[in-house]
Amino acid sequence: MSTFNLQIQSLNASHRAETHEMTELDIDAIIANFEKINWHQQRIQQLQMEGKSSIFNVTHNESQEYLKITLNAFSESEQFEFKLESNIQLIFPQRELFGLMTRKNKETFVIKQGNLEQALQSLHAFLNQDKPALETLYLKRKAKPISEVS
């Protein structure tokens, strides 16, 4: 069974950043910690502190792969916005020379403007070491229509 280390940087009512570190956690404990965070309160406190971020960072003990989820308090919409980043290398086939040649293209998993649902899906995929699910999430976000980006 895989175990994970968890580091949570949250902002408290006294407007100070606190870092909590936990080691040797299982998947259920990581999910429970993520779901108990009051993201609305974190967003308000982050706006008041101008620059401090709320960060949820999970590291897989065996592979040392990580998933870092950072709350963006300055998003333009009312929805929560997260930056999701990892050191996991995703490999995609890329056609070149009029589709006659295919080469493998490596990209690091990064989603700059993800919502809460995407953050939770990414966390589940990461914890279950489901790289195809991470690839799907990454490609969906990368193929986002231009009208949604602006």
Side-chain angles (χ1 to χ4, degrees):
M1 177 178 227
S2 294
T3 59
F4 302 89
N5 292 339
L6 175 63
Q7 184 178 25
I8 302 173
Q9 179 180 316
S10 60
L11 308 172
N12 62 25
S14 64
H15 305 297
R16 290 186 25 227
E18 293 180 342
T19 301
H20 305 283
E21 293 188 31
M22 295 168 254
T23 58
E24 302 296 322
L25 298 177
D26 64 1
I27 293 172
D28 294 333
I30 299 289
I31 297 296
N33 276 290
F34 184 82
E35 290 179 343
K36 76 179 183 181
I37 295 174
N38 184 343
W39 292 110
H40 179 71
Q41 180 183 10
Q42 290 299 309
R43 185 177 186 185
I44 290 170
Q45 290 174 349
Q46 199 169 321
L47 287 169
Q48 291 171 343
M49 293 188 68
E50 297 180 15
K52 294 287 183 184
S53 296
S54 298
I55 301 170
F56 191 89
N57 192 17
V58 182
T59 305
H60 186 257
N61 286 336
E62 293 172 24
S63 66
Q64 292 303 307
E65 293 175 328
Y66 68 85
L67 177 67
K68 183 177 179 180
I69 302 171
T70 307
L71 177 63
N72 177 10
F74 301 104
S75 68
E76 295 177 10
S77 71
E78 292 297 316
Q79 300 296 320
F80 294 119
E81 184 178 288
F82 296 90
K83 179 177 182 183
L84 312 167
E85 54 190 319
S86 178
N87 60 346
I88 294 175
Q89 292 286 316
L90 304 175
I91 301 172
F92 302 104
Q94 181 177 357
R95 294 201 174 264
E96 291 184 351
L97 194 60
F98 306 109
L100 298 175
M101 291 177 43
T102 302
R103 70 177 184 137
K104 293 182 179 179
N105 191 16
K106 289 184 182 180
E107 296 185 34
T108 304
F109 181 82
V110 175
I111 297 176
K112 292 184 181 180
Q113 295 176 317
N115 58 31
L116 183 58
E117 180 182 339
Q118 290 168 328
L120 195 53
Q121 289 173 346
S122 298
L123 182 59
H124 278 285
F126 174 78
L127 293 172
N128 292 308
Q129 298 295 291
D130 187 357
K131 286 188 181 181
L134 285 173
E135 287 175 4
T136 302
L137 284 164
Y138 180 78
L139 289 174
K140 277 184 187 177
R141 196 63 192 168
K142 192 174 180 180
K144 185 178 180 180
I146 294 174
S147 61
E148 284 186 38
V149 175
S150 54

